[in-house]
């Protein structure tokens, strides 16, 4: 019997991508996509289940569908995407409910894969050149997002301890860029002006969006437990990233950066998140030798990721914005999936 | 594509897993024995891999991938070349740096250079780095205090010129994994902030972290004694108020400010006295202890650190006994 997998946040970028990738994999018989909204991508055989942000119906779903694999990517890793309350609900309460449902009696869940972020390492002047998975932060966290993600990781680690029979895999992704994903960085790098801090040129690391999906699939298909850093090879200076993207640096002074940045955000020149404040000063590097030992290799290095990203942006600029023509319609989807009239091979 | 091949669900996932690994580890189509039973079953995985690879080729980079040459440490060979050209006149004609025992620094493999530190804005680090690179032709990474990174421009420049934050992980990677030379000043700002009356009296050697790093990396320690640095920019007085306002470790009034300040203004603050600098390389210290341990006995580490400190202190006094003039050596 093939595997039965549950994907969280199927309406968000990662959930949708992951569901699409799982559909192409014959190992997975049943794919359940949970989301607060309808899926944004066209899915062929994944089933959509609506839930609220904190997954209160999850324990029923896990019992009823007997899923054996849960892929949890519905974790907010950008503080501009959610208010502090929504952030807490989604990240901490959502993960808590999810793991509680996976660990309840009668659950058949044997693998949980979670996407976290390298933001948990922070970015300070005291940092090593490369963070390893077992490295600790150099300074205590002071952003809500950092604390929230650390709480998520702690929940996952506690779950792994309490359920030794379940394979628990977690990846910490470097900043993601790619053809489709919308982040603060992607917005800034595709604009005329990109924020930078005067006198600082940090070394940053990126990972391509397809590599993140491939990595999650790799860990799930091969049932590999553990915590892994995921990033493209090498680090490159922010000035070089901007040069590759052809955007002009908008230098902000090193003192009072947050105030200046919020003014620029209000003027609509840039997008800014508090976590950028430190990243644009000190950068961050994560060591990926552990994930490489499992036989996984990123297709894109950091520099290649930036090139791929800006080529996609240029294509969009030249042909006009690609409109997402797909809208989810419950009855149509029901028809294609369940009607006896549809010939399914 | 996915549904058509699930005819044999029992062997399906296993064969897929094998094929996946074969693809990842050996991209060349050499292993046929594995595909006997599951060539068909393995197809979708292979096809998926191929599709991803094609995708990547589609988005493949044309032209140069990198625009600069900054490495993982932030060091840039291009910037280094500029600094070499700027440093060389100062090295040759201003400080007239003279080495003694340079052959004791190994031509290859990791080694930790440990030196005394002096001067309000210490000139010893760039001079040693320049000298080793010039005379031996191999890069030397200078390990510096975290605080450097917080200073706009200074931190970036320092890193482009080959400076690295003095984090144990960084030192270990440089010495053990990359087999590079690293330079460390265990006294830190305790030495550079000391008054002129304390010259050539070494401060405490930190908590002996440098010994622990050398032990863990299995790299030798090479002590250096630098003479002349103390007189290049001596501190007359430290202003505590300004230091705390600007979050500096110290804010000095130097003899250079007083001597050159009236003539050259702020520029004079950064002008060194043309002292003669002599650097003596002492015998490398090899430890016969298992490298790679998580922890080493603190008492042993502290003892060794004190030993290195005494060696450098004695060498300095020995060199000073022969010094006839501050400026001519």
């Amino acid at each position: 019997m093939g595997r039965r997998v549950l994907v969280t946040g199927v309406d968000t970028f990662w959930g949708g991508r992951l569901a699409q990738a799982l559909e192409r994999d014959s190992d997975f018989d049943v794919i359940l996509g949970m989301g607060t909204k309808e899926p944004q991508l066209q899915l062929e055989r994944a089933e959509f289940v609506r839930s609220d942000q904190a997954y209160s119906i999850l324990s029923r779903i896990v019992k009823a569908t007997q899923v054996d694999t849960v892929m949890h990517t519905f974790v907010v890793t950008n503080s501009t995407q959610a208010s502090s309350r929504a952030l807490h609900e989604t990240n901490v309460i959502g993960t808590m409910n999810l793991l509680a449902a996976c660990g309840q009696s009668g659950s058949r869940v044997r693998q949980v894969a979670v996407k976290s972020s390298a933001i948990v390492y922070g970015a300070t002047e005291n940092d090593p050149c490369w963070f390893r998975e077992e490295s600790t932060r150099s300074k205590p966290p002071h952003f809500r997002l950092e604390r929230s993600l650390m709480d998520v990781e702690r929940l996952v680690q506690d779950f792994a301890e309490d359920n030794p029979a379940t394979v628990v895999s977690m990846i910490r992704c470097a900043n993601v860029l790619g053809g489709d994903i919308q982040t603060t960085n992607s917005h800034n790098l595709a604009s005329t002006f990109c924020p930078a801090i005067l006198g600082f040129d940090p070394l940053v690391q990126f990972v391509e969006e397809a590599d993140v999906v491939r990595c999650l699939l790799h860990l799930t298909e091969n049932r590999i437990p553990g915590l892994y850093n995921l990033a493209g090879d090498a680090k490159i200076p922010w000035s070089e990233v901007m040069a590759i993207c052809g955007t002009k640096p908008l230098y902000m002074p090193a003192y009072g950066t947050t105030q200046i940045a919020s003014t620029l955000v209000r003027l609509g020149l840039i997008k800014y998140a508090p976590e950028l404040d430190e990243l644009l000063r000190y950068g961050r590097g994560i060591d990926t030798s552990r994930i490489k030992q499992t036989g996984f290799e990123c297709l894109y290095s950091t520099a290649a990721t930036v090139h791929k990203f800006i080529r996609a942006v240029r294509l969009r600029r030249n042909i006009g914005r690609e409109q997402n023509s797909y809208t989810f319609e419950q009855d149509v989807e029901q028809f294609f999936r369940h009607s006896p009239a549809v010939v399914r091979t | 594509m996915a549904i058509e091949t699930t005819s044999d669900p029992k062997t399906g996932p296993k064969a897929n897993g094998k094929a996946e690994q074969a693809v990842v580890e050996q991209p060349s189509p050499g292993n046929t024995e594995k595909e006997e039973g599951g060539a068909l079953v393995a197809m979708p995985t292979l096809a998926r891999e191929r599709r991803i690879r094609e995708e990547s080729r589609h988005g493949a980079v044309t032209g140069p991938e990198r625009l600069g040459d900054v490495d993982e440490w932030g060091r840039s060979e291009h910037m280094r070349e500029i600094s070499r050209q700027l440093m060389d006149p100062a090295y040759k004609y201003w400080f007239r740096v003279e080495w003694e025992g340079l052959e004791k620094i190994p031509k290859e493999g990791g080694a930790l250079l440990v030196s005394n530190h002096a001067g309000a804005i210490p000139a010893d680090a760039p001079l040693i780095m320049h000298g080793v690179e010039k005379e031996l032709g191999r890069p030397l990474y200078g390990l510096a205090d975290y605080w450097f990174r917080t200073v706009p421009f200074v931190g970036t420049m320092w890193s482009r010129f080959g400076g690295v934050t003095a984090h144990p992980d960084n030192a270990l990677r440089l010495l053990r994994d990359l087999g590079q030379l690293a330079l460390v000043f265990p006294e830190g700002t305790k030495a550079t902030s000391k008054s002129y009356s304390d010259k050539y009296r070494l401060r405490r050697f930190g908590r002996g972290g440098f010994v622990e790093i050398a032990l863990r990396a299995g790299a030798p320690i090479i002590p250096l004694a630098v003479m002349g640095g103390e007189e290049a920019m001596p501190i007359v007085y430290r202003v505590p108020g300004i230091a705390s306002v600007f979050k500096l470790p110290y804010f000095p009034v130097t003899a250079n400010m007083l001597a050159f300040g009236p003539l050259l203004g702020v520029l004079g603050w950064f002008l060194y006295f043309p002292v003669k600098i002599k650097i003596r390389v002492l015998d490398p210290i090899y430890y016969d202890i298992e490298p790679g341990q998580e922890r080493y006995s603190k008492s042993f580490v502290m003892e060794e650190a004190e030993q290195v400190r005494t060696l450098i202190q004695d060498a300095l006094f020995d060199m000073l006994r022969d010094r006839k003039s501050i400026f001519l050596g």
Side-chain angles (χ1 to χ4, degrees):
Chain A
M1 205 177 91
R3 295 172 72 174
R4 307 167 76 86
V5 58
L6 177 91
V7 178
T8 61
V10 77
D11 53 324
T12 62
F13 179 83
W14 293 116
R17 280 303 179 91
L18 206 53
Q20 277 191 331
L22 288 165
E23 283 187 340
R24 290 194 287 266
D25 196 323
S26 54
D27 285 6
F28 299 97
D29 276 359
V30 174
I31 302 155
L32 285 173
M34 277 195 13
T36 50
K37 298 193 302 280
E38 283 89 14
Q40 308 289 307
L41 296 167
Q42 183 148 14
L43 298 170
E44 280 165 21
R45 57 192 182 98
E47 304 271 352
F48 168 61
V49 192
R50 192 186 295 273
S51 84
D52 59 83
Q53 252 170 3
Y55 308 136
S56 34
I57 60 161
L58 201 96
S59 68
R60 279 175 66 195
I61 294 177
V62 166
K63 265 188 194 157
T65 59
Q66 301 275 297
V67 288
D68 51 37
T69 308
V70 172
M71 300 186 88
H72 183 43
T73 56
F74 189 40
V75 177
V76 179
T77 55
N78 182 336
S79 46
T80 58
Q81 281 173 350
S83 68
S84 61
R85 174 134 297 268
L87 180 76
H88 183 72
E89 284 298 311
T90 310
N91 284 7
V92 182
I93 306 299
T95 309
M96 200 175 74
N97 283 341
L98 178 78
L99 295 175
C102 295
Q104 70 188 337
S105 65
S107 142
R108 306 256 315 252
V109 176
R110 291 294 164 265
Q111 177 160 23
V112 178
V114 184
K115 180 191 163 288
S116 177
S117 163
I119 288 170
V120 295
Y121 292 118
T124 72
E125 71 271 23
N126 298 27
D127 290 348
C129 181
W130 300 104
F131 276 110
R132 283 170 287 121
E133 285 81 354
E134 62 270 26
S135 308
T136 47
R137 288 183 62 103
S138 310
K139 284 183 174 178
H142 53 271
F143 299 124
R144 192 173 284 118
L145 177 68
E146 290 178 330
R147 284 196 294 269
S148 167
L149 285 172
M150 288 174 83
D151 284 346
V152 168
E153 292 207 349
R154 208 165 301 126
L155 288 169
V156 175
Q157 262 146 15
D158 287 351
F159 175 81
E161 250 174 59
D162 296 342
N163 300 274
T166 310
V167 174
V168 180
S169 341
M170 181 154 63
I171 56 168
R172 286 176 177 158
C173 296
N175 293 58
V176 184
L177 273 186
D180 298 316
I181 191 168
Q182 302 283 321
T183 66
T184 317
N185 283 326
S186 75
H187 177 270
N188 287 333
L189 288 170
S191 309
T192 322
F193 294 106
C194 182
I197 297 174
L198 192 63
F200 289 91
D201 192 9
L203 297 173
V204 290
Q205 213 176 5
F206 288 109
V207 61
E208 220 277 335
E209 56 193 26
D211 279 333
V212 178
V213 174
R214 282 180 62 238
C215 182
L216 282 169
L217 273 185
H218 165 78
L219 293 175
T220 316
E221 278 173 359
N222 301 315
R223 297 179 197 269
I224 302 167
L227 172 62
Y228 300 95
N229 286 341
L230 180 69
D233 281 341
K235 297 197 279 188
I236 62 175
W238 185 245
S239 60
E240 197 177 328
V241 175
M242 291 190 289
I244 293 173
C245 294
T247 166
K248 285 170 202 68
L250 186 62
Y251 285 115
M252 302 182 289
Y255 304 98
T257 318
T258 326
Q259 284 78 5
I260 304 262
S262 63
T263 314
L264 292 172
V265 169
R266 250 176 238 132
L267 289 171
L269 279 168
I270 55 168
K271 276 193 178 180
Y272 204 75
E275 55 267 24
L276 272 185
D277 207 50
E278 291 193 324
L279 192 74
L280 291 184
R281 256 170 239 264
Y282 305 118
R284 186 190 301 123
I286 56 176
D287 179 66
T288 54
S289 44
R290 198 189 272 182
I291 190 77
K292 281 178 183 162
Q293 276 165 16
T294 70
F296 180 82
E297 197 80 46
C298 278
L299 291 175
Y300 295 88
S301 70
T302 294
T305 303
V306 179
H307 276 285
K308 165 126 199 244
F309 158 73
I310 198 61
R311 293 187 79 226
V313 170
R314 287 200 206 106
L315 177 68
R316 272 205 295 274
R317 271 185 206 147
N318 288 325
I319 64 169
R321 197 154 275 280
E322 281 173 87
Q323 280 301 322
N324 187 0
S325 56
Y326 174 74
T327 40
F328 181 86
E329 283 181 42
Q330 190 72 37
D331 41 359
V332 178
E333 297 298 331
Q334 284 301 318
F335 170 75
F336 279 116
R337 280 176 180 74
H338 303 295
S339 166
V342 176
V343 181
R344 278 175 284 265
T345 46
Chain B
M1 189 202 344
I3 301 160
E4 66 197 0
T5 48
T6 46
S7 51
D8 192 0
K10 270 179 195 166
T11 55
K14 274 184 191 169
N16 270 358
K18 252 184 214 167
E20 172 91 35
Q21 289 209 332
V23 169
V24 171
E25 283 162 17
Q26 298 166 303
S28 59
N31 48 345
T32 42
E33 72 273 344
K34 273 183 187 170
E35 292 176 6
E36 276 174 15
L40 252 179
V41 189
M43 272 278 286
T45 329
L46 282 171
R48 195 179 63 235
E49 270 302 319
R50 201 177 306 124
R51 195 186 48 75
I52 292 166
R53 279 182 205 288
E54 263 160 23
E55 234 171 53
S56 76
R57 208 172 305 125
H58 175 68
V61 182
T62 48
E65 225 187 60
R66 290 288 308 269
L67 299 180
D69 66 340
V70 179
D71 74 0
E72 59 179 288
W73 304 103
R75 180 192 169 101
S76 155
E77 204 37 54
H78 170 70
M79 292 298 284
R80 191 68 216 157
E81 181 55 39
I82 293 175
S83 90
R84 268 197 290 270
Q85 286 179 4
L86 289 174
M87 275 301 290
D88 209 51
Y91 180 85
K92 255 194 232 160
Y93 304 114
W94 196 262
F95 295 113
R96 289 146 289 132
V97 178
E98 212 173 277
W99 285 84
E100 195 184 322
L102 197 65
E103 70 285 349
K104 290 171 189 164
I105 300 175
K107 296 272 184 299
E108 54 190 32
L112 185 62
L113 277 61
V114 179
S115 165
N116 60 317
H117 208 22
I121 305 170
D124 38 21
L127 287 174
I128 295 171
M129 284 161 73
H130 181 78
V132 168
E133 211 171 315
K134 189 180 144 101
E135 316 284 348
L136 297 178
R138 65 178 295 195
L140 171 61
Y141 289 84
L143 302 180
D145 195 82
Y146 301 131
W147 172 80
F148 259 87
R149 282 182 78 183
T150 64
V151 190
F153 297 106
V154 175
T156 309
M157 275 304 162
W158 173 242
S159 122
R160 292 292 172 275
F161 289 157
V164 170
T165 320
H167 191 285
D169 283 4
N170 289 352
L172 202 63
R173 183 168 162 80
L174 277 170
L175 295 174
R176 187 185 60 191
D177 304 346
L178 305 173
Q180 297 282 3
L181 293 178
L183 170 67
V184 67
F185 301 96
E187 295 167 279
T189 52
K190 292 188 293 299
T192 53
S193 64
K194 68 177 186 254
S195 304
Y196 188 60
S197 52
D198 290 327
K199 61 182 182 293
Y200 295 114
R201 282 183 198 88
L202 297 196
R203 306 283 101 176
R204 178 165 62 81
F205 260 26
R207 286 167 287 175
F210 71 99
V211 176
E212 220 168 321
I213 291 297
L215 287 172
R216 205 174 292 156
I221 285 179
I222 302 172
L224 303 179
V226 182
M227 182 181 73
E230 301 274 10
E231 289 89 356
M233 196 178 276
I235 292 178
V236 180
Y237 178 66
R238 284 186 301 275
V239 194
I242 298 181
S244 60
V245 167
F246 289 103
K247 290 179 185 155
L248 298 170
Y250 54 89
F251 187 87
V253 174
T254 62
N256 307 54
M257 288 181 184
L258 304 175
F260 301 126
L263 263 168
L264 300 167
V266 179
L267 209 67
W269 296 16
F270 299 97
L271 186 66
Y272 292 99
F273 290 119
V275 294
K276 171 84 177 173
I277 290 200
K278 281 188 178 174
I279 307 170
R280 182 183 285 182
V281 186
L282 309 182
D283 289 328
I285 306 164
Y286 293 88
Y287 295 104
D288 193 16
I289 290 176
E290 176 75 27
Q293 290 177 40
E294 205 42 54
R295 269 192 55 211
Y296 288 90
S297 145
K298 204 71 198 167
S299 58
F300 175 78
V301 165
M302 290 309 290
E303 209 171 282
E304 286 305 315
E306 186 52 36
Q307 179 71 26
V308 174
R309 186 179 164 274
T310 315
L311 280 172
I312 296 175
Q313 182 73 80
D314 291 350
L316 269 178
F317 284 155
D318 189 52
M319 288 159 86
L320 286 164
R321 278 186 198 104
D322 293 331
R323 181 163 83 168
K324 291 168 202 87
S325 150
I326 292 175
F327 298 103
L328 299 173

